[in-house]
Amino acid sequence: MKKHRICMAPFTEVEISEEGNVNCCCSSYTNEYFFGNIYEDSFDEIWNGEKAKAFRQDIIDGKYTYCNRDICNFGRLRPVKYPPSIEAPYPRFVTIAYDRTCNLMCTTCRDHLIRQSKFSEEELNENVDKFYLPICQNAREVILNSIGECLISKHSRRLIKKAAEKYPNLKFNIMTNGVACNRIVMEQLGLMDKISTLQVSIHAATEETYNKITRTGNFKYVMKNLKWISEQHKKRIFPIVLINFVVHSLNYKEMIAFVQLAQELDVLASFWELQKWSGETEMLHDYEKYTVFDKNHPEYNDFLEILKDPIFRDSDHCVLNSLFKTLRKEAISQ
């Protein structure tokens, strides 16, 4: 029987936003289409509610009506013999993205430091048992934090510890800026044997550019932590390690050096383009000024020249998103 390829995200994944909105992936990928809100209805009602089932049926029909094809790389496409049921079991992959607490104020994200108030933190802590832990009951992996720094936030650290203790087989996909990612913190949180993927967002290969982007980071300290992370990766304690690089006009000239850094550490360099995420920053306000990957940008041809470098063929140490793969092919064929 012929197999069909469909996106499995709405059948196996859930993402909880800062506002409590329930989705199967990043809301920008689904044009802000939500299944519901966990502060208004129970997760059971939402996960197999009418909006969720309508989304899944649309995927089965191959329409992808609710999906933003311009930015989604369809990385969850899987071959299936038979279409899955529109009523899905509890998700296997849970993304928790509601805690914006962070020790950095990267130009791509925010123009000021964000700390949860004591009241907000207490309220969030009460919600851990009520809302978030039950969703993880059948999960294989929890993914956090794409909008803050989970190794700094007291609340996120509490969530990690409680989830690790309650569900001992649960694995974690952690996105961090690396400042607090060291042995002491990882052991305190009980994560040394529970990491499936570790993503360290750096966005630069030199201290000068790193300081321009993060503004409050510590490049030398992050590099020290990365060497330790690399050692754990080589021991298979951290099975998958990526260093992340959001490309824009301030840093694109360091893309080659960034892959070289990944080669030295024996990890993966992951590249994707600056997008109009939520938040008010000077960079997002003047978005077109920084989109060097856009053909109308004055440095677009310089960007293409960088993409031609054969170092980007090193699949063991480099991952380009779908846009950059396409642009690289076009650049090489010119």
Side-chain angles (χ1 to χ4, degrees):
M1 180 178 291
K2 182 180 178 181
K3 290 185 178 181
H4 301 277
R5 291 174 63 82
I6 69 171
C7 177
M8 292 302 296
F11 304 92
T12 62
E13 303 180 29
V14 67
E15 179 165 323
I16 313 297
S17 76
E18 184 178 10
E19 297 78 20
N21 291 322
V22 178
N23 205 334
C24 60
C25 60
C26 180
S27 60
S28 60
Y29 288 2
T30 61
N31 295 312
E32 304 294 328
Y33 183 98
F34 301 110
F35 297 171
N37 189 288
I38 59 170
Y39 300 136
E40 299 173 3
D41 298 294
S42 72
F43 184 72
D44 288 333
E45 293 173 321
I46 295 168
W47 187 239
N48 281 308
E50 293 306 311
K51 293 191 71 175
K53 289 192 287 188
F55 191 100
R56 294 183 189 120
Q57 186 63 60
D58 185 75
I59 296 296
I60 291 171
D61 294 339
K63 296 178 180 179
Y64 294 86
T65 305
Y66 308 106
C67 302
N68 187 334
R69 294 170 178 262
D70 292 331
I71 61 174
C72 179
N73 61 10
F74 292 96
R76 280 87 159 184
L77 287 176
R78 298 290 184 271
V80 295
K81 287 184 179 180
Y82 304 99
S85 170
I86 60 172
E87 290 198 6
Y90 260 51
R92 299 182 69 192
F93 302 94
V94 178
T95 297
I96 298 175
Y98 62 81
D99 187 351
R100 295 179 62 83
T101 303
C102 191
N103 54 319
L104 304 185
M105 49 181 189
C106 295
T107 56
T108 57
C109 181
R110 63 197 70 190
D111 283 335
H112 61 279
L113 289 173
I114 295 178
R115 295 278 193 269
Q116 293 288 353
S117 68
K118 183 177 181 181
F119 175 78
S120 296
E121 185 178 320
E122 290 177 353
E123 188 174 44
L124 286 172
N125 288 341
E126 291 176 1
N127 290 340
V128 168
D129 292 314
K130 185 176 181 181
F131 296 113
Y132 304 117
L133 287 183
I135 298 173
C136 300
Q137 61 184 272
N138 292 328
R140 189 172 80 185
E141 181 179 85
V142 168
I143 301 99
L144 70 168
N145 188 317
S146 58
I147 66 168
E149 177 49 59
C150 61
L151 300 183
I152 290 289
S153 164
K154 290 181 180 179
H155 168 69
S156 287
R157 287 164 65 107
R158 175 190 175 96
L159 172 62
I160 291 169
K161 288 192 72 172
K162 293 201 75 172
E165 291 169 0
K166 186 166 186 175
Y167 305 114
N169 295 325
L170 192 64
K171 297 294 183 181
F172 292 82
N173 181 332
I174 301 289
M175 183 178 290
T176 173
N177 57 44
V179 174
C181 192
N182 53 49
R183 181 180 293 280
I184 294 175
V185 171
M186 299 299 271
E187 287 182 347
Q188 285 177 344
L189 297 179
L191 286 175
M192 287 299 292
D193 61 344
K194 296 185 182 298
I195 293 293
S196 59
T197 302
L198 188 62
Q199 303 183 55
V200 186
S201 297
I202 310 170
H203 315 306
T206 66
E207 185 170 11
E208 180 181 4
T209 300
Y210 174 85
N211 289 340
K212 287 180 182 178
I213 294 171
T214 68
R215 293 187 280 203
T216 52
N218 188 317
F219 187 76
K220 291 184 176 65
Y221 199 68
V222 171
M223 290 299 108
K224 178 182 177 181
N225 287 344
L226 274 175
K227 289 180 180 178
W228 173 77
I229 291 169
S230 174
E231 293 171 359
Q232 310 316 303
H233 173 58
K234 291 172 182 176
K235 298 174 185 176
R236 303 300 297 166
I237 294 173
F238 300 154
I240 301 174
V241 176
L242 299 91
I243 51 175
N244 293 330
F245 192 109
V246 173
V247 176
H248 45 73
S249 60
L250 296 184
N251 64 4
Y252 77 95
K253 293 180 181 179
E254 296 186 6
M255 290 176 68
I256 294 172
F258 197 73
V259 179
Q260 291 171 339
L261 174 62
Q263 291 172 335
E264 292 174 11
L265 296 168
D266 197 21
V267 300
L268 274 168
S270 178
F271 296 93
W272 68 91
E273 79 277 13
L274 174 69
Q275 296 179 9
K276 276 194 171 182
W277 296 296
S278 61
E280 290 293 328
T281 71
E282 185 274 332
M283 179 174 279
L284 297 181
H285 184 266
D286 293 328
Y287 180 69
E288 289 76 14
K289 176 182 175 181
Y290 299 96
T291 53
V292 66
F293 41 84
D294 188 293
K295 64 180 180 181
N296 296 316
H297 195 278
E299 296 178 69
Y300 177 70
N301 290 330
D302 294 333
F303 172 67
L304 291 186
E305 284 299 315
I306 287 175
L307 277 184
K308 290 180 181 179
D309 196 287
I311 198 170
F312 295 108
R313 292 201 307 261
D314 182 2
S315 59
D316 289 333
H317 298 99
C318 177
V319 178
L320 297 176
N321 73 350
S322 56
L323 171 64
F324 294 154
K325 286 179 181 177
T326 300
L327 293 180
R328 176 171 159 75
K329 288 179 182 178
E330 294 177 1
I332 293 174
S333 64
Q334 290 178 356

